[in-house]
Structure formats: structure tokens, C-alpha cells
Amino acid sequence: DVASTQWFYPYIVGCHELELMKGIDAVTFAPDNSMTRGMMVTVLARMAQADLTDYEKDSAFQDVSKEQWFCSAINWAYEKGITIGISETEFGPDLKMTREQMATFIDRYFDVMGLELPKFKEPQTFGDSSAIGDWAKESVDAVQQAGIVEGYPNGNFGPGNALTRAEAATMMFRCYGEVKVTIEGEGTVAGEGLYLWGDEVTLTATPDEGSTFLCGEQGLESLSSDNPYTFVLKEKMDDLTCRFEVAAE
């Protein structure tokens, strides 16, 4: 139910490859279905590659039992401070996730993990900005400027609208930036791939036999296997170039 011509195709495929989101069965993703709060914290736990073993215990919430598939992830997210319940005693795991809730979950996740969201876009005033809860305004601004969330074509944000699984996949995949290096000549560069914004990245270059590293750009000028280039991903880094040349005899 996910065609390559649909707008959400690359985001759903990306989340599937990152093992963040799965289908509701072996052949169905259900992109238009609503994302629940239980689903969302499970995806965030997968993003963190969290070991949930220590969280396989009774929940602090009366509507979450230890036997439910999302219990460990809810315990993890609650204890980390990524999420709170809808009350002191209820989490609402089966309730539909709203767009402003999603913004706060993502913003808190990055904060708890010690990662800094980038600011690619100018702040946007949505047509319904006044409808965004005071508790969510700062988070909505943060994820909007990071390019993770956008408004609707009519200029509204729709803070209380139920988040679809396609929208959730889109936002989660946009939490990552790609580090891509164009190689000229004979050699390899290790460290390319997708990283969460704010992650530390390390690149190293290894010339093929008979070649030598020539030069690079944007910090890669002296890159080698003995001299790695380490940086924090804060901007788009998908146009780096490394050049190798045949070693002089």
C-alpha cells in the first residue's frame, strides 16, 4: 500500500531501512492510519537503539500493563523525560498522536540525548499558531526550523490534528542528515551514511594500492586512515569530495 509515486514513499522506505517503523502486518504499512502514542515512543526507543531490558517492568501508568508490547518503551521514554502521561496515572497508549505532541516528543528526545537540532529554516508563523498549546510552542518552533515538520499548504500547522503513520515516518526520517562523499580516483572513504542531527561523525580515507590521497574539501584536506576527520553534524554534508591519484613511481 506504499507506491513509489506517492509523496511519502522515500520516508517510509527510509524508516523501514533504519528499522524505525514496521508495517501493521507483513505486507501493509497503512500510511493513512493514525499514529498512536504507544507506537511513537516505540519508534523513539528504536531510534535511540535503547536496551529496554531494564524497562521490562510494571509501568507507572495504570493504563499500561507489563504484558503490552509498548510497555518497555513507555517506561524508557517516561524515565528519560521524553514524555509524560495525559494525567498523573494515565499515558493513553492507544490515543491518537497529535502533531503538536509529536513536536514535543522529538524536541525532548534530542535534548535528552544531548543532540542539537539544526536551524535550516527561518521561523514560520502558521495561520493557526494561536491554537498551538503553550506547552508545545517552543518545540514546534524548534522542529520547524530544523526542517523536520512543515505546515499544510493552507499555511496552518494543525496542532491538534491526528498524526498519520506517513507523516510520522516523514518527520522521523528528517531527524537524520546524510553524510555523502564523492570519490574521484581510486580509494575508499569510511564513515558515510545517515546520522541523527547533532551526532558525531568520523570519516577516514584509504587509497587503493598504487594510489595516494590527494585532497579533500570542507575539512577533508588532510584526511587519511591515520588522520580521521571528526565533526558534529549540524549542516548538510552530502556534497563532500575526496580525490585520489596514482602514486608517483
Side-chain angles (χ1 to χ4, degrees):
D1 61 343
V2 178
S4 60
T5 54
Q6 294 172 296
W7 66 266
F8 46 69
Y9 176 81
Y11 305 110
I12 291 176
V13 171
C15 281
H16 179 71
E17 292 177 347
L18 288 168
E19 299 184 349
L20 297 180
M21 296 182 70
K22 303 176 181 178
I24 60 172
D25 59 40
V27 296
T28 308
F29 185 81
D32 296 324
N33 283 14
S34 296
M35 193 77 172
T36 67
R37 288 167 57 85
M39 289 178 183
M40 192 62 246
V41 292
T42 301
V43 172
L44 290 174
R46 291 171 182 161
M47 176 180 277
Q49 300 181 359
D51 182 357
L52 299 180
T53 305
D54 292 338
Y55 299 94
E56 295 174 354
K57 57 186 178 182
D58 292 332
S59 174
F61 300 105
Q62 295 177 3
D63 59 347
V64 178
S65 67
K66 185 178 179 181
E67 293 72 28
Q68 291 175 294
W69 60 270
F70 43 63
C71 181
S72 297
I74 290 174
N75 289 341
W76 168 81
Y78 177 66
E79 292 186 24
K80 290 290 185 182
I82 295 171
T83 180
I84 57 177
I86 58 174
S87 72
E88 291 184 359
T89 59
E90 294 180 307
F91 181 79
D94 296 321
L95 293 181
K96 296 177 180 179
M97 189 82 182
T98 67
R99 287 167 57 84
E100 63 183 352
Q101 287 175 350
M102 177 71 165
T104 61
F105 277 30
I106 293 175
D107 187 31
R108 289 177 191 153
Y109 173 90
F110 274 81
D111 182 56
V112 166
M113 294 299 163
L115 303 174
E116 183 178 350
L117 284 169
K119 293 185 178 181
F120 294 135
K121 297 190 174 183
E122 293 296 319
Q124 180 178 351
T125 300
F126 298 103
D128 57 352
S129 289
S130 61
I132 300 174
D134 291 339
W135 52 271
K137 288 183 182 294
E138 186 175 334
S139 293
V140 171
D141 288 343
V143 296
Q144 178 269 314
Q145 291 179 60
I148 293 172
V149 66
E150 299 175 347
Y152 293 115
N154 65 1
N156 289 341
F157 179 71
N161 290 3
L163 189 76
T164 68
R165 285 171 53 82
E167 288 176 326
T170 301
M171 294 180 192
M172 298 311 294
F173 193 69
R174 287 176 178 166
C175 290
Y176 292 81
E178 183 177 16
V179 176
K180 185 177 180 180
V181 181
T182 299
I183 297 175
E184 297 178 0
E186 303 298 325
T188 58
V189 174
E192 292 182 290
L194 293 174
Y195 293 84
L196 284 168
W197 296 114
D199 261 348
E200 186 175 90
V201 181
T202 298
L203 298 176
T204 57
T206 305
D208 288 352
E209 185 176 355
S211 293
T212 184
F213 178 72
L214 180 60
C215 67
E217 300 174 351
Q218 296 188 40
L220 279 65
E221 289 80 4
S222 58
L223 184 67
S224 70
S225 56
D226 298 322
N227 187 33
Y229 174 45
T230 300
F231 59 94
V232 174
L233 188 62
K234 294 183 178 180
E235 58 183 324
K236 297 182 185 299
M237 301 288 280
D238 57 359
D239 59 351
L240 301 172
T241 300
C242 281
R243 298 183 180 88
F244 299 89
E245 65 176 4
V246 177
E249 297 183 357

